Amino acid sequence: MSILVLSGSPRPQGNTAAMVTAFAEGARESGHQVDVVNICQKKIAGCLACEYCHKKDSGHERQCVQRDDMQEVYPLLDEAEMIVLASPIYYHSFTGQLQCAINRIYALDKPKNLKKAALILSSGSDHVYCGAIYEYQNSFLQYLHLEDMGIFTAHDEQNRSPEKLEELYQFGKNLA
């Protein structure tokens, strides 16, 4: 299975990155193709709502007018059978950088091969995940009709704990 991880952590060695690494290692060991895009290391602007991508018979349907690093992500989105959104939670939702990339998926409307989704979230506090979970459930599971493969959260001392990293490794390893 082709898996795309959109990681919204601005800290390349942070808690979210450790969780993504554990998941990706397990998934790769089981033969899955895993592409991890570190969104915060890319230059991706927010959606302009110009509708360039949705003009019928224009020859540029499903293409964003903005020429930034999101152009590298679009082919990966169309190839992926599973998407994993990973983000630290600073103020009850995804990081701003990840939110820009999520909004830009609008250009594709519905990526061609996506069937499954999962969510990986880390935070310093518990009970702060509601905004991200709401968007995941409504925008990805319901609107895109994706199968929910799981929501994985870690807070405070759970971050980087051997138990949490093993849980994510096993999740990746046991994907069907």
Side-chain angles (χ1 to χ4, degrees):
M1 174 169 39
S2 175
I3 302 169
L4 174 61
V5 180
L6 297 181
S7 179
S9 177
R11 295 173 49 215
Q13 305 301 318
N15 296 325
T16 303
M19 294 168 70
V20 166
T21 298
F23 163 76
E25 183 179 311
R28 286 180 181 128
E29 284 183 17
S30 290
H32 299 289
Q33 166 64 39
V34 182
D35 291 298
V36 177
V37 177
N38 295 308
I39 295 297
C40 294
Q41 295 174 355
K42 304 286 184 188
K43 296 213 181 298
I44 299 176
C47 179
L48 298 174
C50 67
E51 292 298 322
Y52 178 89
C53 55
H54 293 284
K55 290 188 175 137
K56 299 276 187 219
D57 302 318
S58 65
H60 53 72
E61 298 91 351
R62 302 184 86 243
Q63 296 177 30
C64 185
V65 71
Q66 298 184 78
R67 298 295 175 221
D68 58 12
D69 291 341
M70 193 66 188
Q71 298 305 318
E72 301 167 19
V73 179
Y74 287 132
L76 298 172
L77 277 163
D78 266 341
E79 293 169 13
E81 297 164 88
M82 178 175 173
I83 189 167
V84 178
L85 302 173
S87 183
I89 301 298
Y90 299 132
Y91 201 71
H92 303 278
S93 195
F94 299 117
T95 58
Q97 298 94 325
L98 181 57
Q99 192 62 62
C100 283
I102 289 170
N103 288 347
R104 294 277 297 282
I105 294 173
Y106 179 69
L108 300 180
D109 188 32
K110 296 180 180 176
K112 294 178 181 177
N113 296 310
L114 274 184
K115 294 171 184 59
K116 300 177 181 186
L119 189 59
I120 297 174
L121 304 172
S122 66
S123 180
S125 303
D126 200 6
H127 307 296
V128 295
Y129 308 110
C130 295
I133 292 171
Y134 178 86
E135 181 164 355
Y136 169 72
Q137 291 173 333
N138 288 281
S139 297
F140 289 87
L141 303 183
Q142 291 179 12
Y143 179 72
L144 294 176
H145 306 289
L146 302 180
E147 179 183 353
D148 182 11
M149 301 305 291
I151 298 172
F152 300 85
T153 62
H155 70 281
D156 200 25
E157 69 279 346
Q158 292 176 346
N159 286 308
R160 293 184 184 265
S161 71
E163 297 82 12
K164 185 55 69 175
L165 297 179
E166 180 66 18
E167 177 186 7
L168 283 152
Y169 170 81
Q170 289 299 325
F171 168 55
K173 187 142 182 81
N174 295 316
L175 276 174

